[in-house]
């Protein structure tokens, strides 16, 4: 019987602390902490408007080799490793798949995503495709993909190979249990060890940026209002007072 | 006077029989019938939500050669072969174009697509672009494209070359008269000789999958409900009864 | 203090004259005037339904070199050249950026675009990305992009290098002050010297095409109605009369 | 029994007249005759130092489709169309193959090339690969390729489809019987109708260029010696005299 | 202290049995045994004329992450995993590296390859680059590469991550201990379980092909001499006798 | 009359000091000085075995625009900017060209390179092609190219645009007067301000590496001999003595 490892999940407090941060702030702050580029290039939001944070279950596909992955393998669904990855789902989890950029393999279809959703899964990130998109888009799981395809997962070049191991999702190494921050800007991987620093950033409220935005939208001078110069600072204080803050 | 061949259309029964199958089932079943990958990689649905089935009119573009395709060629519209392809349109037809992946050539514009629609055409599949998209999207023809462009069809690198001949649409050979199945997952080519087998598949109603989906969406165990194990089979029979089926 | 040149703007009459032309007509007519391909391949409309015309402010990014662009550069916002480009904004302007096709650099974010909008800017064209898309899409500026990213503009491979100089936006040379025509078909660059010719084209009203379209949509013969043959011409005259034109 | 058409070969005089022209002069002069780019991008010389001219036999590969090209097809070698292409070989012929840029298909191996050489074939141009390179390089046939591979021609994605039909070899349309000029700079297609003009060019002897080259190699001024200005013209006449020409 | 697993080497008899087979025969026969494509696309022979067979040591690179691979890591050479891979070298071994196609990382340099050669290593296969090529080419190790670079292995995007684990070298999964067959045609992976079948193929001597080649090179008919038809069979028997075989 | 700026050349001492360094050491040491990647990806050595150092003359090509670069431009050779770049040649100079990766434009031919050589030019680096390679390879100028082509420089997509301005040669910004180090590993750009640091590195003679190499080539332990451990240090001292050093 196949046994695959579970992940070590970060504390709920850590996840909650990152809830509002957004991928853009996460990417910028991680850079300032010395990690150059943890944005996964390639997958884009297919479910616009979602913004999620959660730990990564990882699933690794490898180039298919007929001597290792026979047609009969399918006789026993339990030997299909992409199912095993989903078995580990806990509420709030996000699945990240290395599908090797293949545009002819649909990693998951409607039934797999329905199960994942039923277990509380939040979203999937694939450097590749899903299939069954006409139905999958209704399931409610967040989708960051490079595309869709009618082909099933092992139809052409790939086979599922390992669960909850370190994977490369295009340009980024993803460790099982890393925190994923995903929204319409894309997907950023947050190493657990750096997450507490990011939580601090996430909690900062830039009230003055709100003021800046109003001024800029009215034709205000960028040199004056972003960042606020001395004169604008004074205006801002008056504005705050006027707002009763 | 230019004469181009028409196609031999499969029977209406065959087309109707494939109506509900969807590209995902078509791709998977064709694989099981021994044809590895008949999904045309590249073109994606620009008219979301459509699902069409019909025979392929084919149109082949070739790299433009100024010694063979002069500027004066345009003086006589009848010499433009992309028009001739459309002349063959019968209700239910789908045009498949080898545009060689060129992103600087708009194969059809509003007038051509309006004519095609007027004749009963269902959709076009192009490994390339159309132009005039702001108007074309209103025409009502299904569009599977790699993109759009303001350029006209012979502006940069291409010229229309042949009608209703075998073409390569990216990774797939398309024979004139092959059946096209296209939806939001993409485009699959169904060889006429294999279509009867697919019709059988299309007619199977997987009522138990409906039950599975409900259970999975409620957090049911994938190992129990997909496929149904013995215990789940019993539950399913009860569910059917309860539904009055 | 950094000084960057402004552009010489074409007359308002010229811009207004091109207002209704659309990128497809612009591309085709420029070709007939001897300029092969002034469509910028790559950037696509991320704000569907907009159609804009205006002079180009240009912004050039170069590969980042740490010996020339230090981390401390950011200490003084005034040294950031992408801001300087926006300082030149006048109502109706369009910013065109050579971002070298880089998918890991977000050229502008919400604050920059808000300022640009506040100054009357119409749109931005980038052979690359913006960041902060969840907020940027609300700003109201037209966006022609290759994608979005959470990364900031100098996070990975690029640095802003020059303002209002000739740039290559993928396959097209853009001179500061060139006229940009952008809509859902894409982006076309109109050299100022050729603009008067295009204005003439833009003012031609093809009333007969309206008639053609009606006929074609009703299943009319392409050979008869596009272009109109003698018989169709007669029908068209009757139609006009019937319309009271 | 399979019958494939032969080509119409240009006169020997025409071929001989182009013998010394070289692909660089051919490309430049064809441009001046109004044909923009007849250089086949992609294939490079794998047999350095050869310079050949001859008519094109063409061979078209298409994406493999298992329903059309069974494994049993090989039972009868006569059904293999790449053999049929070679059957047409006459002394001086050049084979041009559309192999669709596929890097996993070896179009010809040692035996096929040995036969081609035995029949007087000069060279092959493939937008793809040969196999058996360790032996093929000894055969003596000129090779313009994108690479080599151990795979045989129909192992992965391709099948031979047609002989002596118009093909696209990457960016260039090649008509059966077109004249091929190939050397270390690459491959240029010469339309037969334009060949007589090129023959004239090929026969011009630029004696003054020889003089220019000597001067430039000695540090002479480019502005003076290429092209020759008035002063240099005088020097050149003296040089000629001194050479006894 | 870092410990990495060694590989299980196939018997010397198995390796010896494959000695003369060549990558072309290996690829073709593996296909006939049901494995579609075990040729590693990408790496090409940089040391022409070598033909090697041996078991694969594998080395996996991953995208560099600064939080996991610090600059200080280098303080202790023992922490560099690419060294550990070489520590396992036994005479006849071949190193296969997943370098993710990166053209800015030189996986090995002169010292590493000299050590590998000193230990009896035969060759390296990298879907990427080495550095120090001016010296490396003299070391005597077979090189199958995508290119060379002056950059060191972790300078840009990569870090060594694991030794003797399953890796994907472009389109092929390579298991530690798989047999590598490499020559000027490229690199083929032979699964150990299928090797005995291949050994049989390698031992077949196609004497008649020698005869065919002579005949074809003299202008003989392909239809008669390859394969030999009845008439040619008789000629072949006479030729054998004449040769005293 | 066209005037283009000359470059400011670094001192001969600086150039001489870098003579033996090689691109691999230059790349590695520049990284340690904080500049991540100054290796120009793409161009490879077409003249194997050369190793050159010299200041960069730069030449920028831009996408061709027929309204700015007419056919008549050629009437006056003095308007061709690629000539002007060469006019600045002084002994030891290296020309670096941004040819935008275009594989259908031959930037220089035999005459231009002969002139460049006559003036003392050392080499050219092009992210693109030259033409006339059969003759150019004899000229004696070092060539780092992405390929060769029969097409002339403005035949397809490019036109020369500026001389001795900052250019992007693929992934690297090159300033006029930067020092170029090129050999068989590739091309590295050395900023003049960092050159003195590199000169120090270049002058270090790693005599112990010579000893290491001997030991490793004899099967010595990498852990002992590279770098030298205490025991190996002692052996090394004895070896030195034995060598009479």
């Amino acid at each position: 019987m196949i046994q695959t490892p579970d992940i070590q999940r970060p504390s709920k407090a850590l996840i909650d602390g990152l809830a509002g941060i957004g991928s853009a702030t996460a990417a910028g702050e991680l850079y300032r902490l010395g990690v150059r580029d943890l944005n996964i290039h390639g997958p884009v939001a297919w479910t616009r408007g979602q913004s999620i944070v959660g730990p990564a279950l990882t699933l690794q596909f490898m180039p298919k080799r007929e001597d290792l992955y026979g047609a009969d393998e399918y006789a026993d669904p339990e030997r299909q490793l992409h199912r095993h990855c989903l078995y580990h789902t806990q509420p709030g989890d996000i699945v990240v798949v290395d599908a090797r950029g293949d545009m002819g393999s649909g990693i998951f279809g409607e039934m797999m995503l329905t199960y994942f959703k039923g277990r509380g899964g939040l979203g999937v990130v694939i450097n590749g495709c899903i299939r069954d998109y006409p139905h999958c888009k209704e399931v409610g799981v967040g989708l960051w993909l490079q595309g869709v395809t009618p082909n099933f997962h092992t139809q052409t070049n790939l086979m599922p190979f390992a669960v909850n191991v370190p994977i490369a999702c295009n340009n980024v190494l993803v460790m099982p249990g890393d925190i994923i921050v995903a929204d319409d800007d894309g997907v950023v991987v947050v190493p657990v060890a750096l997450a507490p620093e990011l939580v601090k950033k996430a909690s900062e409220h830039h009230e003055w940026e709100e003021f800046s935005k109003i001024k800029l939208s009215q034709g205000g001078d960028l040199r004056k209002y972003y960042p606020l110069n001395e004169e604008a600072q004074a205006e801002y204080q008056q504005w705050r007072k006027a707002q009763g803050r």
Side-chain angles (χ1 to χ4, degrees), chain A:
Chain A
M1 207 183 100
I2 292 173
Q3 292 283 10
T4 59
D6 198 359
I7 60 171
Q8 186 167 356
R9 286 173 181 75
S11 73
K12 192 169 177 314
L14 211 48
I15 300 292
D16 288 351
L18 290 170
I21 194 171
S23 68
T25 300
E29 295 302 329
L30 284 169
Y31 178 86
R32 275 160 215 121
L33 292 170
V35 199
R36 190 174 179 265
D37 187 11
L38 288 176
N39 165 235
I40 298 176
H41 298 193
V44 301
W46 277 67
T47 46
R48 289 282 177 84
Q50 296 205 19
S51 179
I52 63 174
V53 180
L57 299 168
T58 66
L59 173 58
Q60 183 189 41
F61 275 74
M62 278 286 194
K64 187 173 163 184
R65 238 170 80 168
E66 292 83 355
D67 61 311
L68 298 176
Y69 189 87
D72 55 334
E73 195 112 349
Y74 246 104
D76 177 6
E78 277 313 290
R79 300 192 58 183
Q80 298 177 53
L81 281 168
H82 71 313
R83 293 170 65 103
H84 285 266
C85 180
L86 301 185
Y87 292 163
H88 294 288
T89 309
Q90 292 190 10
D93 284 354
I94 295 171
V95 170
V96 185
V97 184
D98 179 8
R100 305 186 60 72
D102 195 282
M103 299 306 281
S105 306
I107 299 306
F108 297 120
E110 187 189 13
M111 298 306 269
M112 293 298 131
L113 291 181
T114 299
Y115 169 68
F116 179 60
K117 175 71 180 176
R119 288 298 183 172
L122 284 186
V124 303
V125 177
I126 309 175
N127 63 344
C129 300
I130 61 163
R131 75 194 295 232
D132 240 346
Y133 178 67
H135 301 110
C136 289
K137 69 184 165 193
E138 312 296 348
V139 171
V141 164
L143 301 170
W144 283 260
L145 311 169
Q146 292 187 198
V148 296
T149 174
N151 289 353
F152 61 90
H153 66 313
T154 61
Q155 185 170 330
T156 55
N157 302 310
L158 301 182
M159 60 184 183
F161 195 77
V163 169
N164 291 333
V165 297
I167 60 170
C169 197
N170 290 349
N171 63 312
V172 179
L173 170 65
V174 184
M175 304 296 288
D178 274 343
I179 301 171
I180 302 300
V181 175
D183 56 22
D184 285 1
D185 267 348
V187 182
V188 168
V189 177
V190 178
V192 174
L194 301 179
E197 278 295 317
L198 284 195
V199 171
K200 277 191 225 159
K201 282 292 164 189
S203 64
E204 288 171 14
H205 181 57
H206 295 297
E207 197 186 47
W208 67 267
E209 288 204 359
E210 202 180 320
F211 173 73
S212 289
K213 198 151 52 177
I214 292 166
K215 285 301 182 186
L216 295 177
S217 71
Q218 293 164 350
D221 188 350
L222 190 62
R223 281 157 289 211
K224 180 175 176 186
Y225 290 109
Y226 192 72
L228 301 180
N229 70 8
E230 214 167 326
E231 193 184 337
Q233 282 283 4
E235 289 182 22
Y236 166 54
Q237 295 305 339
Q238 288 197 308
W239 175 82
R240 285 199 66 189
K241 215 178 294 176
Q243 305 276 316
R245 304 190 191 189

